[in-house]
Amino acid sequence: MAQAIVKVVDGRAVVRFSGPETIATMLAEAQTAAILAQAASADADEARDEAVAATANKADIDGENITDTGAFRSAIQAARAIYLPGGTNVSSVLQAAFDAASDGDVLQLVPIAGADVFLNSAVTLSKRITIITQASFGVVGAIAGIAMTAVGAVWQGGRFFGNRTSGQVGIRNSGSLNAVRDVAFELLDKGIHQPASSGYMNVYDRCRARNNVTAHLHLEDGVGPRVLGCFGDTDGAWYSGSYVSPTDGAIWLQTEGAIFIGNDFIHSGGLKIEASSARSIEWLLSVSNYWDSTNSGPGIHIINNQASRYIRGLFFAQEWSATGHKGIKVEGTGDIDGIYLSAPTFHNNVFEAVDLQAGKNIFISDPAFLGNNGTVPSGWGITKTVSASSVVVNTAGRVRINNGQIDGQGMRWNTTPEYQVYAGPNARDLVVNGTDIGSQVVVSKVYIDASASGVRFINCPGLVGYNRGKATVANGTTSVTVTHGLSFTPQDKDIFVTPHTGWGSTTKWWIDDVTSTTFKIVVDANPGLGFEFSWQAWGGDL
């Protein structure tokens, strides 16, 4: 059976192995300058002597009953490094080191010769200690490499990687006031998982992630998580020519009180906010983040299908969602109340900048929704069969869009959306005020479904929401076609006509054939004279 030997050399804990198969490996490794430089304490003979003779300080690497914690305590107290043998499973060694530490200790974990080490079982970090490392930890199987249950622990540096196995997690943090800083997570199911029954106020700072399956960070529970300055991409040795974002977003948020500031997930997933059966979501502050979801879903995706749960009070400021699927989508049958977007920039998305299928009290101020309805980039695997509009509102709840710009003129590409604003059949309370509505469209700037109501456009540059004029049904005819000049198709009920001359033989009149450019005034009989009407048409400025 392979055995680990812990020796204190110059105040450092050096982990080596005994057993016929490992002695030969150590002798070969000891010949390299890298090990001599890293160990800096023994030549090849000393390494062999330690492996063979120092049986008083040994432990079963396959078990969890390391008997000698003195070596670890000595190294910790001396503030020296704990050296880990590359290419080996070190779960039991790390567990012994963590168990030997006391609250407030600082542990440095250094892989010999910089080689990867592996975790074949979860290592529990239950004490308020600080881990500093540059090691790469390979997670073996469907486990969490590190299980943080402490209050106030810090893990700084290093890398966790896997083989994209379901259930494979770098760090599972169920404690409180813990910090994970400057850590990379690659090829895992989830990089970081904050599971059910987690604590509060955990911080994830300057972490990096790529090519994870479900999410880079899954914040399932635990009040008040902070995600600050993290970065994600899909580059590296596993990039094979197509962008593959995590299926549930770079960040999958299912808890309350979160703060996200200055994160950048390029081609690496958006923000998914989803109520679960266990918890409602209330209060989020998200500032200056870049959400690039590629093919996995909207940059910001808000979902509630839980009848007994709610999502309330989401505050976004200066958010970017670009070159992805959609800018933001809100959907679900549950209660979604209170979404505030200040100065969002959603540009060059394949589909809509905004798609509101649910929710109420949604306030958008000073937006830049530019160049959406873009072309599908090569390698994304998206099939696009219909043209998209810039903004779609199909919720009965109150929606307000104030100032800003909506146009096909983007920062990277110019596009032609179907409509700039599309008010669907369920829209009941939409007001667009002072927003510059661009002219690069397929059909018209605005569409208002016949079943929609309470839709208004007020003082919008580039948008004609009201017009009036005169038209005459000539003698010998029964109709006149009027060009209304509006930027969208008005509804019949929003066109008003008033006769100005004698009716002649006419007894009644009506509106017919309303299009995006014209409508008809029809009379029931040839008036026998020129029958003049004044008309007004609007679907806005009320």
Side-chain angles (χ1 to χ4, degrees):
M1 177 180 295
Q3 294 177 318
I5 297 169
V6 181
K7 288 286 289 182
V8 178
V9 180
D10 293 334
R12 296 171 305 175
V14 180
V15 183
R16 299 198 184 278
F17 288 89
S18 68
E21 70 282 8
T22 56
I23 291 175
T25 301
M26 288 188 61
L27 287 172
E29 290 179 347
Q31 294 172 6
T32 66
I35 284 187
L36 293 176
Q38 289 286 345
S41 62
D43 58 18
D45 289 336
E46 287 177 306
R48 180 192 59 209
D49 291 341
E50 288 176 10
V52 175
T55 57
N57 293 327
K58 69 179 183 180
D60 182 357
I61 194 65
D62 298 319
E64 297 183 3
N65 59 339
I66 292 182
T67 57
D68 181 13
T69 60
F72 291 109
R73 284 274 351 126
S74 297
I76 293 166
Q77 291 171 352
R80 298 294 184 89
I82 298 174
Y83 283 79
L84 303 173
T88 59
N89 290 314
V90 296
S91 294
S92 57
V93 173
L94 286 186
Q95 192 64 70
F98 295 171
D99 291 344
S102 300
D103 285 347
D105 283 340
V106 177
L107 278 68
Q108 300 180 61
L109 307 178
V110 179
I112 295 177
D116 296 340
V117 295
F118 295 89
L119 303 173
N120 62 348
S121 61
V123 180
T124 300
L125 177 53
S126 60
K127 297 181 180 179
R128 183 176 53 83
I129 59 178
T130 297
I131 305 297
I132 300 175
T133 185
Q134 296 179 351
S136 288
F137 297 92
V139 180
V140 180
I143 65 168
I146 301 297
M148 297 181 76
T149 62
V151 175
V154 176
W155 188 289
Q156 181 169 324
R159 166 179 172 258
F160 291 86
F161 66 95
N163 60 355
R164 295 173 62 90
T165 296
S166 178
Q168 196 172 58
V169 178
I171 294 179
R172 178 170 289 129
N173 182 10
S174 59
S176 297
L177 300 171
N178 293 324
V180 178
R181 296 193 174 110
D182 299 307
V183 184
F185 301 93
E186 305 178 32
L187 287 171
L188 299 157
D189 184 18
K190 301 173 184 177
I192 294 170
H193 184 200
Q194 197 167 281
S197 301
S198 291
Y200 55 90
M201 299 288 287
N202 291 305
V203 176
Y204 307 100
D205 185 13
R206 302 189 306 274
C207 291
R208 305 172 305 284
R210 62 183 178 184
N211 300 300
N212 297 306
V213 178
T214 300
H216 297 326
L217 297 93
H218 182 192
L219 305 174
E220 182 180 358
D221 199 4
V223 176
R226 272 64 172 147
V227 183
L228 311 172
C230 292
F231 174 78
D233 64 20
T234 51
D235 297 329
W238 311 279
Y239 173 63
S240 58
S242 62
Y243 295 118
V244 182
S245 298
T247 57
D248 288 293
I251 300 178
W252 183 7
L253 177 66
Q254 295 187 287
T255 189
E256 60 185 318
I259 295 179
F260 304 146
I261 299 177
N263 301 289
D264 181 4
F265 294 103
I266 181 170
H267 296 159
S268 189
L271 169 60
K272 182 177 181 180
I273 303 171
E274 182 177 25
S276 69
S277 59
R279 175 185 282 279
S280 295
I281 301 173
E282 186 167 14
W283 200 86
L284 162 71
L285 177 62
S286 187
V287 180
S288 297
N289 300 289
Y290 185 94
W291 309 106
D292 187 345
S293 62
T294 64
N295 57 356
S296 65
I300 300 172
H301 197 184
I302 302 170
I303 313 166
N304 184 14
N305 287 312
Q306 306 293 329
S308 61
R309 302 295 178 185
Y310 58 80
I311 297 177
R312 296 177 186 167
L314 308 181
F315 299 86
F316 301 90
Q318 298 178 329
E319 299 287 271
W320 286 63
S321 180
T323 65
H325 190 271
K326 296 184 179 187
I328 183 172
K329 182 173 184 178
V330 182
E331 62 177 327
T333 57
D335 183 13
I336 302 174
D337 186 355
I339 300 173
Y340 305 84
L341 293 111
S342 176
T345 299
F346 298 161
H347 72 93
N348 297 132
N349 291 286
V350 172
F351 297 103
E352 296 87 358
V354 176
D355 185 5
L356 305 179
Q357 298 295 328
K360 59 187 176 182
N361 296 317
I362 300 172
F363 300 90
I364 304 173
S365 62
D366 300 302
F369 300 147
L370 307 172
N372 296 285
N373 187 36
T375 303
V376 179
S378 175
W380 277 21
I382 293 176
T383 300
K384 184 176 181 179
T385 59
V386 296
S387 182
S389 299
S390 293
V391 175
V392 171
V393 177
N394 194 34
T395 175
R398 179 168 59 164
V399 178
R400 299 291 184 265
I401 302 175
N402 294 316
N403 304 319
Q405 185 178 13
I406 305 174
D407 201 356
Q409 177 77 32
M411 287 180 287
R412 294 178 61 184
W413 305 295
N414 291 333
T415 62
T416 308
E418 194 79 1
Y419 302 94
Q420 298 296 2
V421 179
Y422 180 103
N426 296 319
R428 293 293 180 271
D429 189 2
L430 166 64
V431 177
V432 182
N433 187 357
T435 303
D436 188 353
I437 308 294
S439 59
Q440 292 186 196
V441 292
V442 174
V443 182
S444 63
K445 294 182 179 181
V446 172
Y447 173 84
I448 303 174
D449 190 272
S451 297
S453 62
V455 178
R456 291 173 288 168
F457 293 83
I458 302 172
N459 298 323
C460 293
L463 180 66
V464 178
Y466 171 80
N467 207 354
R468 64 182 180 176
K470 293 182 178 180
T472 300
V473 178
N475 183 18
T477 66
T478 57
S479 68
V480 59
T481 297
V482 179
T483 299
H484 55 67
L486 301 183
S487 299
F488 49 91
T489 304
Q491 299 180 31
D492 292 357
K493 64 183 179 63
D494 293 327
I495 301 174
F496 298 87
V497 296
T498 304
H500 273 259
T501 60
W503 297 10
S505 301
T506 299
T507 61
K508 56 185 177 181
W509 57 89
W510 61 90
I511 302 300
D512 200 3
D513 294 339
V514 180
T515 72
S516 61
T517 56
T518 64
F519 66 89
K520 283 185 178 180
I521 302 174
V522 183
V523 296
D524 63 339
N526 176 12
L529 48 82
F531 190 2
E532 186 181 72
F533 292 86
S534 62
W535 60 267
Q536 298 178 77
W538 64 79
D541 295 338
L542 302 177

